[in-house]
């Protein structure tokens, strides 16, 4: 088959892959409601009518960086972020449930250590940029209990059954799937925030973090895809997680799995989830909170942030 025909087929597959996705995971909201709630800035949110400062946006990003950093640092080292990086304005909370992964693949272990160092650096950098205005780390759930955030997300995506647990620290593959839950969301969050930042210095900093998050997301997606060639259930899991995230953030399709076919059995790679113009997706702060709160209602906490995030932008988007 000529190369240009292959390209056309991939593009056609990208265009058509969204057709049957949303109805598959209508149950996500119902499943996650049992674990807690969530909302933020979209047209129907009260936050939308309120002006936000660059500091508000950076503090929103800092909450997300606390979550990612704690997960990766625990997975790589068995300990969380140092106390010196956790204080600030708002209610200080603990990160609970994290532990070290006994990696069997040296490459995945190396990736975990690298990403952990990057995410800790992001926390330190944002705290330095915000100074005394930096928010404290809120309460974060990164454990493996049956009623915890990871298990709720996995159950809603159909990866586990009622009463079962998803342990992100049990294996290399579970770690990668847990990382996959976060990384794509981080990319879309920074892209969505970039037009709202007025200070060019802050904008450049956010662009720098966005680029790193995109590197991380591609690394996780590439590794999962490669392992999925030998264990297709991993690719199916990526599609399920993608659909579950997408069922939370509104009526627009902003998510894609690891193959160009969004049905089981697809093999053509989809490492970069892009729109029809080849651009990365954007999410509003409210849409991001829908995913990390694991709820598609307008709420101020739940999921990975049981008591909500700290700062001005706290409410998820009502869908």
């Amino acid at each position: 088959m000529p190369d240009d025909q292959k390209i056309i087929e991939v593009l056609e597959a990208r265009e058509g892959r969204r057709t049957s996705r949303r109805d598959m995971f209508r149950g996500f909201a119902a499943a996650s409601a049992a674990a807690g709630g969530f909302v933020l800035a979209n047209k129907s949110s009260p936050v939308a009518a309120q002006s936000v400062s660059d500091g508000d946006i950076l503090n929103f990003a800092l909450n997300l960086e606390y979550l990612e950093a704690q997960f990766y640092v625990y997975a790589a080292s068995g300990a969380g972020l140092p106390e010196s990086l956790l204080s600030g304005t708002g209610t200080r909370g603990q990160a609970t449930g994290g532990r070290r992964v006994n990696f069997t693949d040296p490459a995945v272990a190396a990736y975990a250590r690298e990403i952990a160092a990057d995410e800790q650096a992001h926390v330190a950098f944002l705290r330095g940029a915000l100074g005394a205005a930096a928010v404290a780390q809120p309460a974060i759930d990164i454990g493996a209990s049956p009623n915890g955030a990871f298990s709720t997300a996995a159950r809603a995506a159909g990866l586990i059954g009622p009463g079962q647990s998803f342990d992100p620290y049990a294996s290399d593959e579970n770690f990668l799937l847990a990382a996959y839950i976060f990384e794509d969301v981080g990319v879309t969050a920074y892209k969505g925030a970039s037009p709202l930042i007025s200070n060019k210095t802050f904008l450049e900093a956010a662009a720098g973090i966005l680029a790193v998050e995109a590197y991380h997301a591609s690394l996780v997606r590439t590794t999962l895809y490669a392992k999925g060639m030998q264990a297709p259930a991993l690719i199916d899991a990526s599609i399920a997680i993608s659909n579950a995230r997408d069922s939370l953030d509104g009526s627009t399709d902003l998510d894609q799995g690891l193959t160009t076919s969004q049905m089981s059995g697809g093999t053509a790679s989809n490492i970069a989830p892009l729109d029809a113009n080849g651009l990365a997706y954007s999410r509003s702060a409210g849409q991001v909170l829908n995913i990390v709160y694991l709820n598609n209602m307008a709420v101020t906490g739940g999921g990975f942030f049981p008591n909500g995030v700290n700062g001005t932008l706290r409410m998820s988007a009502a869908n």
Side-chain angles (χ1 to χ4, degrees):
M1 178 185 299
D3 289 344
D4 57 347
Q5 184 60 35
K6 292 181 181 178
I7 293 172
I8 291 171
E9 289 188 0
V10 169
L11 291 174
E12 289 176 344
R14 278 180 178 268
E15 182 64 23
R17 66 187 155 203
R18 304 184 179 108
T19 306
S20 61
R21 306 177 59 225
R22 194 164 305 277
D23 291 340
M24 295 171 60
F25 290 92
R26 292 287 185 188
F28 188 93
S32 52
F38 83 97
V39 335
L40 208 123
N42 74 347
K43 293 180 181 178
S44 62
S45 169
V47 180
Q50 153 190 340
S51 62
V52 296
S53 68
D54 288 354
D56 294 330
I57 296 168
L58 292 186
N59 265 321
F60 178 73
L62 178 57
N63 282 281
L64 301 180
E65 296 294 346
Y66 282 135
L67 172 61
E68 288 191 316
Q70 290 286 26
F71 169 65
Y72 284 114
V73 172
Y74 266 110
S77 69
L81 290 172
E83 289 293 317
S84 61
L85 293 180
L86 303 180
S87 62
T89 64
T91 302
R92 160 75 186 280
Q94 299 296 320
T96 58
R99 73 174 195 273
R100 185 177 179 276
V101 178
N102 292 320
F103 294 104
T104 58
D105 185 334
V108 177
Y111 300 156
R113 290 191 294 270
E114 178 182 1
I115 298 176
D118 294 345
E119 299 297 353
Q120 181 167 327
H122 288 170
V123 169
F125 174 77
L126 287 172
R127 287 173 57 86
L130 287 159
V135 295
Q137 176 191 274
I140 292 173
D141 175 10
I142 50 171
S145 70
N147 295 321
F150 276 118
S151 294
T152 300
R155 188 175 303 114
L159 304 185
I160 58 174
Q164 295 181 322
S165 299
F166 176 81
D167 186 349
Y169 311 101
S171 66
D172 296 30
E173 290 74 20
N174 279 19
F175 164 78
L176 289 167
L177 288 173
Y180 177 81
I181 292 174
F182 294 144
E183 288 300 339
D184 287 354
V185 179
V187 173
T188 58
Y190 277 102
K191 179 152 184 295
S194 60
L196 307 177
I197 299 175
S198 57
N199 182 290
K200 290 186 177 180
T201 300
F202 289 164
L203 178 59
E204 181 181 8
I209 297 177
L210 167 60
V212 175
E213 297 295 345
Y215 282 131
H216 292 169
S218 292
L219 178 59
V220 169
R221 291 174 72 96
T222 299
T223 307
L224 272 174
Y225 179 79
K227 289 181 176 293
M229 291 295 93
Q230 302 300 318
L234 286 174
I235 290 179
D236 291 346
S238 82
I239 296 170
I241 291 169
S242 170
N243 285 332
R245 286 188 306 224
D246 214 18
S247 72
L248 291 174
D249 60 18
S251 59
T252 303
D253 192 343
L254 300 175
D255 222 302
Q256 296 168 4
L258 297 179
T259 69
T260 54
S261 170
Q262 293 302 292
M263 301 299 290
S264 179
T267 57
S269 67
N270 186 48
I271 302 305
L274 308 173
D275 67 14
N277 296 314
L279 303 178
Y281 293 102
S282 298
R283 284 187 172 99
S284 71
Q287 290 172 319
V288 170
L289 288 178
N290 282 71
I291 295 171
V292 297
Y293 287 168
L294 298 176
N295 196 308
N296 65 355
M297 303 297 291
V299 298
T300 56
F304 294 99
F305 293 101
N307 301 323
V309 297
N310 282 325
T312 301
L313 301 176
R314 304 190 67 243
M315 183 171 284
S316 58
N319 294 329

